[in-house]
Amino acid sequence: MITSFTDKVAVVTGGASGIGYAMAERFLTEGAKVVIADIEQAALDAALRTLGARGEVIGVRTDVSDTASLQNLADRTVEAFGKVNVVCNNAGVETGGTFLNVPEQAWRWVMDVNFFGVLNGCRIFLPLLQQQEEAHIVNTASVAAFNSGSATMMPYCASKFAVLGMTESLEIELRGAGSHVGVSLLAPGPVRTRMPEAERNRPRTVPAATEPARVAVMEALARASAEIGLDPAHVAGLVVDAIRHNQFFVLTHPEMATAGVHKRLRWMETGEAPPVRVPGT
Ligand SMILES: NC(=O)c1ccc[n+]([C@@H]2O[C@H](COP(=O)([O-])OP(=O)(O)OC[C@H]3O[C@@H](n4cnc5c(N)ncnc54)[C@H](O)[C@@H]3O)[C@@H](O)[C@H]2O)c1
């Protein structure tokens, strides 16, 4: 269990923006050395300029959907700092539409970044974490991991369900084996970040999601994010506390997460289907 972050080494994917940036900033404030990994070179450069004043930080351009790129991230981390204590598999993207309007390439992009990026981050970094006495993995899911049925967000929802299933199973396996590597699942509700503009990182093979139902949902999401979204720094504080206490679930909006689980439980136990949610509400 990590009791102090002083001189620990933390890797954060998607660390150039939003929640990842806030986690990187907080780890630096706590005395850790930080590696920021992100696919956006310009954002990475800007983050390093700001965070460089806070402590020892490097940036490694990384595409988490590419296993070789993640391996390079691990190699560069060990080269720079000699070890890894904390890995936050946090990079995430979103695109969607009504079911028949979502092409396979869009599904693959979202699954490759949100699920395989997290999975391969665990596969590549776990052996390095096992070499350290104090080590922890934080995988970012979403309240979407507990709530199906958000209009036009099916690939995102499926990817976050997959992160939940994999991360819970990993925690159970490691704890059962007596491993000292802790595992947490961060499942945020609305946080004020650039997530509503996630398509900015869409590969050329993925068409823009332009159907009106989808655009309306994204506009509503952007409004909600700006109006009621939490400050990412608050989320970073919850993550640091969870690592310190080896706490599995990190829920920024526990009522949204548990409502999803209760809804499913009622559905399973009584057969009563949950109400249909109207897009944009
Ligand atoms: N903001 C929210 O309301 C919210 C809610 C639930 C879950 N989340 C999750 O939080 C995580 C962080 O997102 P955020 O809200 O800070 O959004 P953000 O867009 O501000 O940050 C995401 C970062 O990931 C990077 N990224 C995208 N694709 C990448 C790739 N292939 N390889 C490496 N980096 C890549 C982006 O460049 C960006 O810097 C995501 O997993 C997201 O699904 C966010």
Side-chain angles (χ1 to χ4, degrees):
M1 194 157 92
I2 294 187
T3 46
S4 157
F5 287 88
T6 308
D7 291 328
K8 300 294 188 304
V9 176
V11 176
V12 184
T13 70
S17 174
I19 296 169
Y21 178 90
M23 289 196 284
E25 185 173 41
R26 181 62 188 261
F27 289 140
L28 284 168
T29 307
E30 297 282 336
K33 298 167 188 173
V34 173
V35 180
I36 300 180
D38 206 284
I39 199 167
E40 280 187 35
Q41 187 66 56
L44 198 54
D45 293 343
L48 288 175
R49 276 195 298 276
T50 322
L51 294 178
R54 299 288 180 99
E56 271 190 79
V57 55
I58 63 164
V60 180
R61 185 172 184 273
T62 305
D63 178 355
V64 298
S65 70
D66 174 1
T67 312
S69 183
L70 273 172
Q71 184 61 57
N72 176 61
L73 171 65
D75 295 345
R76 295 280 308 277
T77 301
V78 173
E79 215 173 273
F81 295 131
K83 62 173 183 174
V84 190
N85 300 98
V86 179
V87 174
C88 299
N89 293 301
N90 166 77
V93 294
E94 210 278 313
T95 186
T98 51
F99 185 65
L100 290 179
N101 283 309
V102 182
E104 184 181 342
Q105 298 95 314
W107 275 94
R108 288 202 183 275
W109 176 49
V110 173
M111 291 302 290
D112 280 349
V113 176
N114 293 9
F115 176 61
F116 285 101
V118 172
L119 171 68
N120 286 324
C122 292
R123 291 177 61 245
I124 287 169
F125 279 97
L126 183 56
L128 296 169
L129 295 170
Q130 284 171 327
Q131 293 169 18
Q132 300 307 313
E133 278 177 20
E134 298 183 30
H136 206 96
I137 294 171
V138 180
N139 289 343
T140 302
S142 164
V143 287
F146 307 101
N147 288 277
S148 53
S150 289
T152 80
M153 294 181 71
M154 222 185 284
Y156 185 77
C157 177
S159 72
K160 297 299 187 177
F161 268 58
V163 171
L164 171 68
M166 188 274 285
T167 308
E168 275 187 1
S169 301
L170 178 62
E171 195 281 339
I172 291 165
E173 179 182 308
L174 290 181
R175 188 160 37 84
S179 172
H180 63 280
V181 180
V183 180
S184 295
L185 181 98
L186 169 62
V191 183
R192 229 170 25 249
T193 71
R194 294 192 68 197
M195 186 46 62
E197 307 153 55
E199 283 197 26
R200 69 190 184 279
N201 285 310
R202 165 173 68 80
R204 269 192 217 103
T205 50
V206 179
T210 53
E211 67 175 303
R214 165 73 187 175
V215 172
V217 168
M218 282 301 104
E219 283 171 0
L221 196 70
R223 267 198 309 277
S225 170
E227 284 165 17
I228 60 158
L230 287 179
D231 182 345
H234 174 75
V235 181
L238 297 179
V239 169
V240 162
D241 287 348
I243 294 174
R244 277 212 177 96
H245 296 102
N246 197 18
Q247 172 197 326
F248 181 72
F249 284 113
V250 191
L251 305 173
T252 65
H253 297 73
E255 69 292 350
M256 291 176 80
T258 53
V261 176
H262 285 140
K263 187 179 72 176
R264 177 169 307 104
L265 199 58
R266 197 164 51 240
W267 199 355
M268 291 169 77
E269 288 178 343
T270 68
E272 184 194 331
V276 175
R277 289 169 59 183
V278 180
T281 61

